[in-house]
Amino acid sequence: CHAVFQTDGLEVSASPILVDGEVRFWLALAGRPGEVTSVLAGPVVEVAERLLRLIDLAHDVRIMEERVRRGELLHDLLDEERAREVSPERLELFGVAKGPWRVALLSVGLAQDEALRLVANSAAATGTPHLLGLHHGHVALVVEGEGELLEAWTANLAAAGLPVRAALGRAVESPS
């Protein structure tokens, strides 16, 4: 489905670019009247739609890979033996650059996935460097600083109807 019109002595063929059934962009091809501009519009739109779907997929894969790497780092930090092997450079890759750090464990019953989503959104909204994941049936969180935002985050969980209890560990300057 595309529209063909004339403007400034040019023939313009305009087509919507759909991604997941929604109009994402418009593609316009212009040429001299009588050229095959409108014939080219269909194949070019198909290629553009495929390319945008591929870009979206690559973006989703990048996000999933980062979550996996963050989860592995969190797991290593919470493992008594592996924590010693975590380098400051590895922490810096995820924005956790300076101590002190604190570990918080949140008990949220069966609502772990929802709690992960809400805490991740809260931490991202405040720009707080953090690592977040599940650890032995609890939501585990490593935060920079004194953990002052943890109270607000747990209040958000409670306001969302999640039964939440939190424990905040002592401040540490380096993984051990």
Side-chain angles (χ1 to χ4, degrees):
C1 155
H2 63 273
V4 179
F5 57 93
Q6 303 277 333
T7 183
D8 294 331
L10 295 173
E11 180 180 275
V12 179
S13 179
S15 299
I17 304 292
L18 303 177
V19 176
D20 294 329
E22 295 181 19
V23 175
R24 206 56 181 286
F25 303 98
W26 279 85
L27 174 69
L29 298 174
R32 285 183 228 112
E35 290 184 346
V36 290
T37 307
S38 61
V39 175
L40 288 175
V44 171
V45 166
E46 288 177 25
V47 169
E49 288 174 345
R50 279 189 245 145
L51 181 60
L52 288 170
R53 279 193 298 272
L54 192 59
I55 290 169
D56 280 349
L57 180 61
H59 179 260
D60 292 346
V61 167
R62 183 188 60 79
I63 289 171
M64 286 187 273
E65 284 178 346
E66 182 174 332
R67 285 183 185 154
V68 167
R69 287 194 312 268
R70 282 179 174 272
E72 289 170 347
L73 177 56
L74 177 64
H75 182 265
D76 289 350
L77 285 170
L78 296 175
D79 183 277
E80 192 174 324
E81 292 178 20
R82 296 181 72 149
R84 292 182 194 103
E85 300 169 10
V86 174
S87 69
E89 294 81 14
R90 189 169 169 208
L91 288 166
E92 286 178 30
L93 287 173
F94 298 101
V96 182
K98 58 184 186 295
W101 303 290
R102 290 184 181 264
V103 173
L105 292 177
L106 308 176
S107 175
V108 292
L110 299 175
Q112 295 169 349
D113 290 336
E114 180 67 5
L116 281 172
R117 186 184 67 75
L118 291 171
V119 172
N121 289 345
S122 295
T126 60
T128 303
H130 66 284
L131 297 170
L132 179 66
L134 294 177
H135 184 70
H136 299 297
H138 296 88
V139 173
L141 179 67
V142 174
V143 292
E144 226 176 58
E146 297 301 317
E148 54 276 349
L149 294 172
L150 184 62
E151 187 174 332
W153 297 345
T154 56
N156 289 344
L157 294 175
L162 282 83
V164 61
R165 288 179 297 156
L168 183 63
R170 64 180 172 80
V172 295
E173 293 292 330
S174 64
S176 59

